[in-house]
Amino acid sequence: MNTRRSEELYAQALDLMPGGVNSPVRAFRSVGRTPLFIDHAAGDRVFDADGNEYIDYVCSWGPDILGHAHPAVLSAVRKSLESGLTFGACHSGEIALAQKIREHFPSMEMLRLVSSGTEAVMSAVRAARGFTRRDRIIKFEGCYHGHSDGLLVKGGSGLLTGAIPDSSGVPAGYTETTLLARYNDISSVERLFAKYGESIACVIVEPCAANMGVVPPAEGFLEGLRSITEKYGALLIFDEVITGFRLSPGGAQEYYGITPDITALGKIVGGGMPLAAYGGKREIMECVAPLGSVYQAGTLSGNPVAVAAGLAALTELENQPDIYIELERKSAELERAMKAAGLNVNRCGSLLTAFFTDIPVTDYQSAKSSDTQKYAGYFGYLLENGIYTAPSQFEAMFVSAAHSDEDIKKTSSVISGYCV
Ligand code: KE4
């Protein structure tokens, strides 16, 4: 496979950006290859700088649930551009998008638009602390919630990929109030509440973990979090940056039937543009400035072009009610093919991960038992056969509405040729 142009570009990028990338997981370091430089994308395909074509299961790490460059989203963005790029002032699109989000996530009685998932989660945690006037938070080993200081503790995603579970550059004081529990282990949460109960502001969780690879919640786990937080007066924050609008139109909270106090959204909600959101009970969000004393702001928050993309994407999802049934069918077919090839697969809706370990993967410890070198071999085999999946064992494979039955069959056929 010729990747000469990507290699040339990578050499230039290495001189300009740390690791030649603007986000670590794109560096392909854990799969031991030169990162692809994508030239363009359409539907379920990406095309690299050397003209190689791939069926894409990265989907920009989740935003592209409709597929790349969806016509409805492109035309909405083009139309929006004619009115200007950014005003730094209110505009009616913000209202329309906030209303649409609240229709799908009724728990988000009041919300704020921001520019990234990191910003959404960071602000949600600050609102929880401001509302409860408590400092401690509980997160789970292997869950990733963006790169705000207090959450870079035993994180997933690029932290796991790069084996840097706790980032340097974060003073101990910033993480002293971050308590760690084990995903799918409610007793680890109960022990923390027994010790620190009245000082815990919130529990933040990926309702289906996807940043240590895909690890669905065990039976009763989310229910357990909901009841223990209510018992101690702490807030439950669902980080639905990946699961929002993916597991169902109402995300994981609709899919599992658990209502959090605050929700963070990202990725799909922006239609591929830099837009995210956080929101929850009115009494909580009324603590946020300028109403309350929890400060949060952003030059490009609610950016009109990004809002237009998000509105178009969510409207398209609403116009294709069968999309979630189709995603489930296609993802289940991929899962069957992966298991038939002897792979250890976790799946939650249209999120899948093949783990290179012989034990069931139910948490951070079991995920970390995976052989990342074997994963690298699997990644390279797929890439050489025109399938682009996550360049890290500790990420998810994303299926989109644009993945045709023909491409699902082609992917299944390629996977069936892989010898574990
Ligand atoms: P961003 O700041 O990257 O928009 O969102 C942070 C974030 C928050 N919460 C969850 C559950 C997330 O998965 C993410 C970001 N996800 C990673 C991939 N697992 C983004 C890819 C990257 O870091 O380049």
Side-chain angles (χ1 to χ4, degrees), residues 72-73 76-77 80 268-273 303-315:
V73 178
V77 167
S80 167
I268 293 171
V269 73
M273 295 291 282
N303 172 269
V305 181
V307 163
L311 268 173
L314 300 191
T315 303

Side-chain angles (χ1 to χ4, degrees), residues 23 25 61 116-118 144-146 157 211 239 241-242 267 395:
S23 198
V25 286
W61 305 101
S116 72
T118 293
Y144 177 69
H145 302 291
S157 187
N211 284 290
D239 178 344
V241 167
I242 283 186
K267 298 182 193 271
E395 296 291 351

Side-chain angles (χ1 to χ4, degrees), residues 354-410:
F355 286 100
F356 285 78
T357 180
D358 297 333
I359 59 174
V361 178
T362 58
D363 60 15
Y364 178 72
Q365 301 306 335
S366 46
K368 276 183 62 181
S369 74
S370 302
D371 182 329
T372 54
Q373 286 310 307
K374 283 188 177 172
Y375 183 86
Y378 168 71
F379 173 84
Y381 165 78
L382 291 182
L383 202 67
E384 302 279 344
N385 285 279
I387 311 293
Y388 177 39
T389 191
S392 162
Q393 169 66 90
F394 306 114
E395 296 291 351
M397 189 178 177
F398 296 86
V399 183
S400 82
H403 283 93
S404 63
D405 285 328
E406 184 191 354
D407 280 349
I408 296 289
K409 283 185 174 36
K410 178 181 177 194

